[in-house]
Short mmCIF file of all heavy atoms in Angstrom, two decimals:
data_model
loop_
_atom_site.label_atom_id
_atom_site.label_comp_id
_atom_site.label_asym_id
_atom_site.label_seq_id
_atom_site.Cartn_x
_atom_site.Cartn_y
_atom_site.Cartn_z
N ALA A 18 0.83 -1.20 0.00
CA ALA A 18 0.00 0.00 0.00
C ALA A 18 0.87 1.26 0.00
O ALA A 18 1.03 1.91 -1.01
CB ALA A 18 -0.94 -0.01 1.19
N GLY A 19 1.39 1.62 1.14
CA GLY A 19 2.09 2.90 1.28
C GLY A 19 3.47 2.91 0.65
O GLY A 19 4.16 1.90 0.59
N GLY A 20 3.85 4.09 0.17
CA GLY A 20 5.18 4.28 -0.37
C GLY A 20 5.78 5.59 0.09
O GLY A 20 5.09 6.62 0.11
N ILE A 21 7.03 5.58 0.48
CA ILE A 21 7.72 6.80 0.94
C ILE A 21 9.08 6.86 0.27
O ILE A 21 9.83 5.86 0.24
CB ILE A 21 7.89 6.81 2.48
CG1 ILE A 21 6.54 6.74 3.19
CG2 ILE A 21 8.66 8.04 2.93
CD1 ILE A 21 6.65 6.65 4.70
N PHE A 22 9.42 8.03 -0.24
CA PHE A 22 10.77 8.28 -0.73
C PHE A 22 11.46 9.23 0.25
O PHE A 22 10.82 10.15 0.78
CB PHE A 22 10.74 8.93 -2.11
CG PHE A 22 10.09 8.08 -3.16
CD1 PHE A 22 8.79 8.36 -3.59
CD2 PHE A 22 10.76 6.99 -3.71
CE1 PHE A 22 8.18 7.59 -4.56
CE2 PHE A 22 10.15 6.21 -4.68
CZ PHE A 22 8.86 6.51 -5.10
N SER A 23 12.75 8.99 0.47
CA SER A 23 13.48 9.87 1.39
C SER A 23 14.85 10.20 0.82
O SER A 23 15.46 9.39 0.12
CB SER A 23 13.62 9.23 2.77
OG SER A 23 14.58 8.18 2.73
N GLY A 24 15.28 11.41 1.16
CA GLY A 24 16.63 11.84 0.81
C GLY A 24 17.31 12.38 2.05
O GLY A 24 16.73 13.22 2.76
N THR A 25 18.52 11.90 2.33
CA THR A 25 19.20 12.33 3.55
C THR A 25 20.66 12.62 3.27
O THR A 25 21.25 12.15 2.29
CB THR A 25 19.12 11.25 4.65
OG1 THR A 25 19.78 10.05 4.18
CG2 THR A 25 17.69 10.91 5.01
N ILE A 26 21.24 13.39 4.16
CA ILE A 26 22.70 13.50 4.23
C ILE A 26 23.09 13.12 5.65
O ILE A 26 22.27 13.24 6.58
CB ILE A 26 23.21 14.91 3.88
CG1 ILE A 26 22.61 15.96 4.83
CG2 ILE A 26 22.91 15.25 2.44
CD1 ILE A 26 23.21 17.34 4.64
N GLY A 27 24.31 12.64 5.82
CA GLY A 27 24.69 12.21 7.16
C GLY A 27 26.17 11.91 7.27
O GLY A 27 26.96 12.19 6.36
N LEU A 28 26.50 11.33 8.40
CA LEU A 28 27.89 10.97 8.68
C LEU A 28 27.96 9.49 9.03
O LEU A 28 27.07 8.95 9.69
CB LEU A 28 28.44 11.79 9.85
CG LEU A 28 28.67 13.28 9.62
CD1 LEU A 28 29.12 13.94 10.92
CD2 LEU A 28 29.70 13.51 8.52
N THR A 29 29.04 8.88 8.59
CA THR A 29 29.37 7.51 9.00
C THR A 29 30.68 7.56 9.76
O THR A 29 31.66 8.16 9.29
CB THR A 29 29.51 6.58 7.79
OG1 THR A 29 28.25 6.48 7.12
CG2 THR A 29 29.96 5.19 8.21
N VAL A 30 30.69 6.94 10.93
CA VAL A 30 31.90 6.89 11.76
C VAL A 30 32.35 5.44 11.84
O VAL A 30 31.57 4.55 12.19
CB VAL A 30 31.63 7.46 13.17
CG1 VAL A 30 32.89 7.34 14.03
CG2 VAL A 30 31.17 8.91 13.09
N TYR A 31 33.62 5.20 11.52
CA TYR A 31 34.16 3.85 11.53
C TYR A 31 34.74 3.51 12.89
O TYR A 31 35.42 4.34 13.52
CB TYR A 31 35.25 3.70 10.46
CG TYR A 31 34.74 3.90 9.05
CD1 TYR A 31 35.40 4.74 8.15
CD2 TYR A 31 33.60 3.24 8.61
CE1 TYR A 31 34.94 4.91 6.85
CE2 TYR A 31 33.13 3.41 7.32
CZ TYR A 31 33.79 4.24 6.45
OH TYR A 31 33.32 4.41 5.17
N LEU A 32 34.51 2.27 13.33
CA LEU A 32 35.01 1.78 14.61
C LEU A 32 36.08 0.72 14.37
O LEU A 32 36.01 -0.02 13.40
CB LEU A 32 33.87 1.19 15.43
CG LEU A 32 32.64 2.08 15.64
CD1 LEU A 32 31.58 1.32 16.44
CD2 LEU A 32 33.00 3.37 16.33
N GLY A 33 37.04 0.63 15.29
CA GLY A 33 38.06 -0.40 15.18
C GLY A 33 39.46 0.16 15.29
O GLY A 33 39.68 1.38 15.25
N SER A 34 40.42 -0.73 15.42
CA SER A 34 41.81 -0.32 15.67
C SER A 34 42.68 -0.29 14.42
O SER A 34 43.83 0.14 14.46
CB SER A 34 42.45 -1.29 16.68
OG SER A 34 42.42 -2.63 16.18
N HIS A 35 42.14 -0.75 13.29
CA HIS A 35 42.94 -0.78 12.08
C HIS A 35 42.93 0.57 11.37
O HIS A 35 42.09 1.43 11.62
CB HIS A 35 42.44 -1.87 11.14
CG HIS A 35 42.60 -3.25 11.69
ND1 HIS A 35 43.83 -3.83 11.89
CD2 HIS A 35 41.68 -4.17 12.08
CE1 HIS A 35 43.67 -5.04 12.39
NE2 HIS A 35 42.38 -5.27 12.52
N GLU A 36 43.85 0.73 10.46
CA GLU A 36 43.99 1.98 9.72
C GLU A 36 42.80 2.22 8.78
O GLU A 36 42.35 3.34 8.62
CB GLU A 36 45.28 1.96 8.89
CG GLU A 36 46.54 2.25 9.68
CD GLU A 36 46.61 3.69 10.16
OE1 GLU A 36 46.36 4.59 9.35
OE2 GLU A 36 46.88 3.90 11.36
N GLU A 37 42.30 1.17 8.15
CA GLU A 37 41.31 1.31 7.09
C GLU A 37 40.06 0.52 7.40
O GLU A 37 40.10 -0.51 8.05
CB GLU A 37 41.91 0.81 5.77
CG GLU A 37 41.30 1.39 4.52
CD GLU A 37 41.62 2.86 4.32
OE1 GLU A 37 42.70 3.15 3.77
OE2 GLU A 37 40.80 3.70 4.73
N HIS A 38 38.92 1.04 6.94
CA HIS A 38 37.66 0.31 7.05
C HIS A 38 37.43 -0.51 5.78
O HIS A 38 37.99 -0.20 4.72
CB HIS A 38 36.50 1.28 7.26
CG HIS A 38 35.19 0.62 7.53
ND1 HIS A 38 34.29 0.30 6.53
CD2 HIS A 38 34.62 0.19 8.68
CE1 HIS A 38 33.24 -0.28 7.06
NE2 HIS A 38 33.40 -0.36 8.36
N ALA A 39 36.58 -1.53 5.89
CA ALA A 39 36.30 -2.40 4.74
C ALA A 39 35.79 -1.62 3.53
O ALA A 39 36.04 -2.01 2.39
CB ALA A 39 35.27 -3.46 5.15
N ASP A 40 35.08 -0.50 3.77
CA ASP A 40 34.55 0.30 2.66
C ASP A 40 35.65 0.74 1.70
O ASP A 40 35.40 0.91 0.50
CB ASP A 40 33.84 1.54 3.19
CG ASP A 40 32.51 1.22 3.85
OD1 ASP A 40 32.11 0.04 3.83
OD2 ASP A 40 31.87 2.15 4.38
N TRP A 41 36.88 0.94 2.22
CA TRP A 41 37.95 1.52 1.42
C TRP A 41 39.14 0.58 1.29
O TRP A 41 40.15 0.95 0.67
CB TRP A 41 38.42 2.84 2.07
CG TRP A 41 37.28 3.74 2.34
CD1 TRP A 41 36.59 3.88 3.52
CD2 TRP A 41 36.61 4.59 1.39
NE1 TRP A 41 35.56 4.78 3.38
CE2 TRP A 41 35.55 5.24 2.08
CE3 TRP A 41 36.81 4.88 0.05
CZ2 TRP A 41 34.70 6.15 1.45
CZ3 TRP A 41 35.96 5.78 -0.57
CH2 TRP A 41 34.93 6.41 0.12
N TYR A 42 39.02 -0.60 1.86
CA TYR A 42 40.15 -1.52 1.86
C TYR A 42 40.32 -2.19 0.51
O TYR A 42 39.38 -2.73 -0.06
CB TYR A 42 39.95 -2.59 2.94
CG TYR A 42 41.07 -3.60 3.00
CD1 TYR A 42 42.26 -3.30 3.65
CD2 TYR A 42 40.94 -4.85 2.42
CE1 TYR A 42 43.29 -4.21 3.72
CE2 TYR A 42 41.97 -5.78 2.48
CZ TYR A 42 43.13 -5.45 3.13
OH TYR A 42 44.14 -6.36 3.20
N VAL A 43 41.53 -2.14 0.00
CA VAL A 43 41.87 -2.81 -1.25
C VAL A 43 42.89 -3.89 -0.93
O VAL A 43 43.92 -3.62 -0.31
CB VAL A 43 42.46 -1.82 -2.29
CG1 VAL A 43 42.86 -2.56 -3.56
CG2 VAL A 43 41.47 -0.72 -2.59
N ASP A 44 42.58 -5.11 -1.31
CA ASP A 44 43.44 -6.25 -1.00
C ASP A 44 44.73 -6.16 -1.81
O ASP A 44 44.75 -6.46 -3.00
CB ASP A 44 42.70 -7.55 -1.30
CG ASP A 44 43.39 -8.76 -0.69
OD1 ASP A 44 44.59 -8.64 -0.35
OD2 ASP A 44 42.75 -9.80 -0.54
N SER A 45 45.81 -5.76 -1.15
CA SER A 45 47.08 -5.56 -1.86
C SER A 45 47.67 -6.88 -2.34
O SER A 45 48.43 -6.90 -3.31
CB SER A 45 48.08 -4.85 -0.95
OG SER A 45 48.32 -5.61 0.23
N SER A 46 47.32 -8.01 -1.67
CA SER A 46 47.89 -9.29 -2.09
C SER A 46 47.44 -9.66 -3.50
O SER A 46 48.19 -10.24 -4.28
CB SER A 46 47.51 -10.40 -1.10
OG SER A 46 46.11 -10.63 -1.13
N VAL A 47 46.17 -9.29 -3.84
CA VAL A 47 45.69 -9.57 -5.20
C VAL A 47 46.47 -8.74 -6.20
O VAL A 47 46.87 -9.23 -7.26
CB VAL A 47 44.18 -9.25 -5.29
CG1 VAL A 47 43.70 -9.43 -6.72
CG2 VAL A 47 43.39 -10.15 -4.34
N LYS A 48 46.70 -7.44 -5.87
CA LYS A 48 47.48 -6.59 -6.75
C LYS A 48 48.90 -7.13 -6.89
O LYS A 48 49.48 -7.13 -7.97
CB LYS A 48 47.51 -5.16 -6.20
CG LYS A 48 46.14 -4.50 -6.11
CD LYS A 48 45.51 -4.31 -7.48
CE LYS A 48 44.17 -3.61 -7.39
NZ LYS A 48 43.50 -3.51 -8.70
N ASP A 49 49.47 -7.58 -5.77
CA ASP A 49 50.83 -8.13 -5.81
C ASP A 49 50.90 -9.35 -6.71
O ASP A 49 51.86 -9.54 -7.46
CB ASP A 49 51.30 -8.48 -4.40
CG ASP A 49 51.55 -7.26 -3.53
OD1 ASP A 49 51.68 -6.15 -4.11
OD2 ASP A 49 51.61 -7.39 -2.30
N GLU A 50 49.87 -10.21 -6.62
CA GLU A 50 49.84 -11.39 -7.48
C GLU A 50 49.78 -11.01 -8.95
O GLU A 50 50.44 -11.62 -9.79
CB GLU A 50 48.64 -12.27 -7.11
CG GLU A 50 48.78 -12.96 -5.77
CD GLU A 50 47.53 -13.74 -5.39
OE1 GLU A 50 46.60 -13.79 -6.22
OE2 GLU A 50 47.48 -14.27 -4.28
N GLU A 51 48.98 -9.97 -9.25
CA GLU A 51 48.89 -9.52 -10.64
C GLU A 51 50.22 -8.98 -11.12
O GLU A 51 50.65 -9.25 -12.24
CB GLU A 51 47.80 -8.45 -10.76
CG GLU A 51 46.38 -8.97 -10.52
CD GLU A 51 45.36 -7.86 -10.52
OE1 GLU A 51 45.76 -6.68 -10.61
OE2 GLU A 51 44.15 -8.17 -10.45
N VAL A 52 50.89 -8.19 -10.26
CA VAL A 52 52.20 -7.64 -10.62
C VAL A 52 53.21 -8.76 -10.81
O VAL A 52 54.00 -8.76 -11.76
CB VAL A 52 52.68 -6.64 -9.54
CG1 VAL A 52 54.13 -6.23 -9.80
CG2 VAL A 52 51.80 -5.40 -9.53
N ASP A 53 53.19 -9.74 -9.87
CA ASP A 53 54.12 -10.86 -9.98
C ASP A 53 53.88 -11.65 -11.27
O ASP A 53 54.84 -12.10 -11.92
CB ASP A 53 53.98 -11.79 -8.77
CG ASP A 53 54.50 -11.16 -7.49
OD1 ASP A 53 55.25 -10.17 -7.59
OD2 ASP A 53 54.15 -11.65 -6.40
N ALA A 54 52.60 -11.83 -11.61
CA ALA A 54 52.29 -12.56 -12.85
C ALA A 54 52.82 -11.81 -14.07
O ALA A 54 53.36 -12.41 -15.00
CB ALA A 54 50.78 -12.77 -12.96
N LEU A 55 52.66 -10.47 -14.06
CA LEU A 55 53.18 -9.67 -15.17
C LEU A 55 54.70 -9.74 -15.23
O LEU A 55 55.29 -9.85 -16.31
CB LEU A 55 52.72 -8.22 -15.03
CG LEU A 55 51.23 -7.95 -15.30
CD1 LEU A 55 50.90 -6.51 -14.98
CD2 LEU A 55 50.89 -8.25 -16.77
N LYS A 56 55.34 -9.66 -14.05
CA LYS A 56 56.80 -9.76 -14.01
C LYS A 56 57.28 -11.10 -14.55
O LYS A 56 58.28 -11.18 -15.27
CB LYS A 56 57.30 -9.57 -12.57
CG LYS A 56 57.24 -8.14 -12.08
CD LYS A 56 57.79 -8.04 -10.66
CE LYS A 56 57.79 -6.59 -10.17
NZ LYS A 56 58.29 -6.49 -8.78
N LYS A 57 56.54 -12.17 -14.20
CA LYS A 57 56.92 -13.49 -14.68
C LYS A 57 56.81 -13.57 -16.20
O LYS A 57 57.67 -14.13 -16.88
CB LYS A 57 56.05 -14.56 -14.03
CG LYS A 57 56.44 -15.99 -14.42
CD LYS A 57 55.56 -17.01 -13.74
CE LYS A 57 56.02 -18.43 -14.06
NZ LYS A 57 56.03 -18.70 -15.52
N ARG A 58 55.70 -12.99 -16.73
CA ARG A 58 55.53 -13.01 -18.18
C ARG A 58 56.64 -12.24 -18.88
O ARG A 58 57.17 -12.68 -19.90
CB ARG A 58 54.17 -12.42 -18.54
CG ARG A 58 52.99 -13.28 -18.12
CD ARG A 58 51.67 -12.63 -18.43
NE ARG A 58 51.48 -12.45 -19.87
CZ ARG A 58 50.41 -11.87 -20.40
NH1 ARG A 58 49.46 -11.40 -19.60
NH2 ARG A 58 50.29 -11.75 -21.70
N VAL A 59 57.00 -11.09 -18.31
CA VAL A 59 58.11 -10.31 -18.89
C VAL A 59 59.41 -11.09 -18.80
O VAL A 59 60.20 -11.14 -19.74
CB VAL A 59 58.23 -8.95 -18.18
CG1 VAL A 59 59.49 -8.22 -18.64
CG2 VAL A 59 57.01 -8.09 -18.47
N GLY A 60 59.62 -11.73 -17.63
CA GLY A 60 60.84 -12.53 -17.45
C GLY A 60 60.91 -13.68 -18.44
O GLY A 60 61.98 -13.97 -18.99
N ASP A 61 59.75 -14.34 -18.65
CA ASP A 61 59.72 -15.45 -19.61
C ASP A 61 60.03 -14.96 -21.02
O ASP A 61 60.74 -15.63 -21.78
CB ASP A 61 58.35 -16.13 -19.59
CG ASP A 61 58.09 -16.89 -18.31
OD1 ASP A 61 59.07 -17.17 -17.58
OD2 ASP A 61 56.92 -17.22 -18.02
N LEU A 62 59.49 -13.78 -21.37
CA LEU A 62 59.78 -13.22 -22.69
C LEU A 62 61.26 -12.88 -22.84
O LEU A 62 61.87 -13.15 -23.88
CB LEU A 62 58.93 -11.96 -22.93
CG LEU A 62 57.44 -12.19 -23.18
CD1 LEU A 62 56.70 -10.86 -23.22
CD2 LEU A 62 57.22 -12.94 -24.49
N GLU A 63 61.84 -12.32 -21.78
CA GLU A 63 63.26 -11.99 -21.82
C GLU A 63 64.10 -13.25 -21.98
O GLU A 63 65.08 -13.28 -22.72
CB GLU A 63 63.67 -11.24 -20.56
CG GLU A 63 63.12 -9.81 -20.51
CD GLU A 63 63.49 -9.12 -19.21
OE1 GLU A 63 63.89 -9.82 -18.25
OE2 GLU A 63 63.35 -7.88 -19.15
N THR A 64 63.68 -14.31 -21.25
CA THR A 64 64.42 -15.57 -21.35
C THR A 64 64.31 -16.15 -22.76
O THR A 64 65.30 -16.64 -23.32
CB THR A 64 63.86 -16.59 -20.33
OG1 THR A 64 64.02 -16.06 -19.01
CG2 THR A 64 64.59 -17.92 -20.44
#
């Protein structure tokens, strides 16, 4: 039956002892794996 639309502005405060929250965390190990894979491909080409 009923329908409501809302628009808000607000603040989000992150809790915890780590430097970064999950919202902004980028898994560096995945990036490292991609870089390592590229380095290996370049190394194989050089070889």
Side-chain angles (χ1 to χ4, degrees):
I21 300 176
F22 299 103
S23 74
T25 62
I26 59 173
L28 291 176
T29 296
V30 178
Y31 297 131
L32 307 178
S34 59
H35 295 293
E36 281 291 313
E37 205 70 84
H38 186 268
D40 288 356
W41 308 96
Y42 179 79
V43 178
D44 194 342
S45 60
S46 66
V47 175
K48 298 296 182 184
D49 290 343
E50 289 176 5
E51 293 175 354
V52 171
D53 290 343
L55 288 174
K56 286 182 177 179
K57 183 179 184 303
R58 291 177 64 181
V59 172
D61 291 343
L62 287 173
E63 289 177 344
T64 299

